Amino acid sequence: MTAVVFSSIWIVILILLFFLLIHINVNLKKKFKFSTRIIISTVLGFAAGIVFQSTLGLVGAAEHEVVIKNVTNAASLVGRGFTSLLKMIVIPLVGLSVYNSIINSKNNENLKKLTIKSVVYYTATVAISAIIGIVIAMTFKLGVGMKLPEGMEAWAGKGEYKGLVDVVVSFIPSNIFKAMTETSVIGVVIFTAFLGFATNRVGLKNPEKIKPLKDVTEALFSVMTSVTITIIKIIPYGVAALMFDLTASYGLEVFKNLVTYLIVMFISLGLVVIMQSLNLAIHGVNPLRYYKKVTAPLVLSFTTTSSMGTLPVTIETLEKEVGVSSPTANFTAALGTTIGMNGCAGVFPAVIAIMIANMNGIAITPVFLISLITVISLGSFGMAGVPGTAYIAATVVLGGMGLPFAPVALVLPIDSIIDMGRTAINVNGAMVVSTVVDKEMGTFNEEVFKGERISEA
């Protein structure tokens, strides 16, 4: 069978699957909850990708790459289009949300408490995640006996840790329009916070001048929320396309190599989830009910590998399903796309550092471990919540510890799968911190959390 015919057949199959998803999400929406429809769509995308991989033998091996590119390009029309829509609304949604929350806040002291609590929790959870990764990697003696294959020695990572002062300064946008175009969420949050406080000061002296601005802001925020809900309804189609793209490109072969690394990462990430769940339980939040509520952002982050891209859904879920107040959801969840990534900035660099230390026969002493945890905690500030963040975090930590970058290339062939889990852990960590901080702030809505879904997409 020629590549053109094979590709055409699969494009037709994808179109039929798309119409099947439309039927499930439109005609059967009353039968299946939104979270269930997301899971069904993910499974369909995964299954279709595996079947596609298994039928590649019908064309010549020399044409596999061309066929995969043709078919995945067709699927990317939905998958990449969906992620672009999510990125489109991140900045206006966060900017309007933070500004609207501040100008309608009755107590600015709450924002100071919110900031301190959020940063402390994010830093602490990253440190704990790093410790978990270190312990599991040392238990399995990851890296002992491993060597770099030929051709990998030249690979080198990018990124360096410039110090805490430089990281903090980098948060402040020297050009707000540049920060917006680069999707610098923290920069937008800082700018809108200053704008909000200035608005409140002017409002104390001349409330009549500020009232029209407040009315316009409230109207824009309502419209932006409506846009967000519309895009959220597309999630089932987006995750199906993204999952098909992944499995169609790589199949299941990525699981067959580096078994020890996979085991270490899976166990470490699982223990981080337990840590996050205990944090919820300690604060009186039922973890089982919580996970039933947050299916959408977890599945979305798993398939997109982007905390930033998932942010609108994360905020919407925290407010409408979990019961987190709007100021906390918008501020703390947005902060979580830049700091406190338990998976990418906590577990991954810790595991990689231990692996490389063992590969090079470096003694893992208490001083080494304390230094590693400190560098990971500080280095977790300023990371962007986009695909590939884990590698930047790893090279920042390795550079800080004086370890070589090249061995990171060993895990690249299979790490796309692990990155999906890491990103879901990042987003879950941000939602957990938002929830527990809101609990401590006394603004958590128990009725929303204990009730049924409020906004069924």
Side-chain angles (χ1 to χ4, degrees):
M1 187 182 296
T2 65
V4 174
V5 173
F6 184 82
S7 300
S8 299
I9 291 173
W10 265 99
I11 290 174
V12 171
I13 292 173
L14 291 180
I15 293 173
L16 293 175
L17 285 174
F18 182 72
F19 281 109
L20 174 60
L21 288 176
I22 292 176
H23 173 67
I24 292 172
N25 288 280
V26 175
N27 299 329
L28 302 180
K29 64 183 299 183
K30 293 183 179 180
K31 184 176 181 181
F32 299 110
K33 290 183 177 181
F34 185 55
S35 57
T36 304
R37 299 201 303 271
I38 291 175
I39 293 172
I40 291 173
S41 300
T42 305
V43 172
L44 281 176
F46 178 85
I50 296 302
V51 173
F52 169 80
Q53 272 279 327
S54 66
T55 58
L56 276 176
L58 297 175
V59 297
E63 296 178 306
H64 283 187
E65 185 176 346
V66 174
V67 169
I68 291 174
K69 183 178 179 180
N70 290 339
V71 177
T72 54
N73 275 346
S76 70
L77 175 64
V78 177
R80 291 169 57 190
F82 170 66
T83 54
S84 294
L85 285 174
L86 286 172
K87 292 175 182 177
M88 175 187 75
I89 64 174
V90 167
I91 292 301
L93 176 65
V94 172
L96 280 170
S97 299
V98 172
Y99 182 67
N100 188 59
S101 298
I102 292 175
I103 64 176
N104 288 294
S105 175
K106 303 300 181 183
N107 185 2
N108 289 332
E109 184 66 24
N110 284 342
L111 186 61
K112 179 181 178 181
K113 293 180 181 178
L114 180 63
T115 302
I116 294 174
K117 286 179 179 292
S118 299
V119 172
V120 168
Y121 268 112
Y122 276 128
T123 305
T125 54
V126 163
I128 295 172
S129 300
I131 293 171
I132 290 172
I134 289 170
V135 171
I136 302 303
M138 290 179 64
T139 300
F140 282 84
K141 298 180 179 180
L142 181 65
V144 174
M146 291 176 63
K147 295 181 179 179
L148 278 176
E150 293 183 9
M152 283 191 177
E153 287 82 357
W155 188 91
K158 295 180 180 180
E160 57 177 327
Y161 182 58
K162 300 179 180 179
L164 184 59
V165 172
D166 289 333
V167 169
V168 173
V169 171
S170 69
F171 289 163
I172 304 172
S174 57
N175 184 330
I176 185 58
F177 298 105
K178 183 181 178 181
M180 289 179 176
T181 57
E182 294 179 350
T183 321
S184 175
V185 174
I186 297 302
V188 172
V189 168
I190 291 174
F191 176 78
T192 51
F194 273 97
L195 202 62
F197 290 133
T199 302
N200 287 342
R201 284 197 299 271
V202 174
L204 290 175
K205 298 179 180 179
N206 302 290
E208 68 282 354
K209 289 185 178 181
I210 297 302
K211 189 179 184 304
L213 180 58
K214 286 188 173 183
D215 292 339
V216 170
T217 301
E218 187 175 350
L220 286 173
F221 180 63
S222 298
V223 172
M224 198 66 233
T225 301
S226 179
V227 172
T228 303
I229 292 173
T230 301
I231 294 176
I232 287 174
K233 292 179 180 180
I234 311 173
I235 289 177
Y237 310 103
V239 296
L242 291 166
M243 183 58 76
F244 173 82
D245 194 351
L246 177 72
T247 52
S249 299
Y250 302 105
L252 295 176
E253 291 298 317
V254 291
F255 289 108
K256 296 182 179 179
N257 301 308
L258 292 176
V259 175
T260 303
Y261 169 72
L262 286 173
I263 293 173
V264 168
M265 287 301 298
F266 282 137
I267 293 176
S268 298
L269 293 177
L271 290 175
V272 170
V273 172
I274 293 175
M275 178 267 290
Q276 293 169 342
S277 302
L278 287 174
N279 197 2
L280 289 171
I282 290 171
H283 286 82
V285 178
N286 186 319
L288 294 179
R289 182 181 293 274
Y290 163 84
Y291 285 112
K292 288 180 181 179
K293 297 269 189 173
V294 300
T295 302
L298 290 182
V299 172
L300 182 59
S301 60
F302 185 82
T303 53
T304 61
T305 64
S306 173
S307 302
M308 188 78 71
T310 310
L311 183 58
V313 182
T314 301
I315 293 172
E316 178 76 9
T317 301
L318 285 171
E319 290 184 26
K320 304 298 183 183
E321 309 298 344
V322 181
V324 176
S325 65
S326 180
T328 304
N330 283 280
F331 178 81
T332 307
L335 194 65
T337 64
T338 303
I339 70 172
M341 298 182 190
N342 294 174
C344 290
V347 171
F348 182 70
V351 168
I352 291 298
I354 296 298
M355 181 187 82
I356 293 175
N358 283 332
M359 287 179 66
N360 290 274
I362 297 173
I364 302 176
T365 63
V367 174
F368 176 91
L369 294 176
I370 292 172
S371 299
L372 178 58
I373 295 169
T374 302
V375 171
I376 288 174
S377 300
L378 294 177
S380 67
F381 286 79
M383 295 295 168
V386 296
T389 296
Y391 304 122
I392 296 176
T395 52
V396 165
V397 171
L398 295 176
M401 294 297 295
L403 296 171
F405 298 139
V408 178
L410 281 171
V411 305
L412 292 181
I414 63 167
D415 200 60
S416 59
I417 297 294
I418 299 296
D419 194 36
M420 298 168 77
R422 282 198 304 257
T423 308
I425 296 297
N426 294 341
V427 171
N428 192 53
M431 291 192 293
V432 168
V433 169
S434 298
T435 303
V436 301
V437 166
D438 204 48
K439 265 276 191 177
E440 293 188 1
M441 295 289 291
T443 50
F444 186 75
N445 192 324
E446 294 284 355
E447 292 183 1
V448 171
F449 180 68
K450 293 178 180 179
E452 295 298 321
R453 297 187 69 89
I454 292 177
S455 55
E456 180 65 30

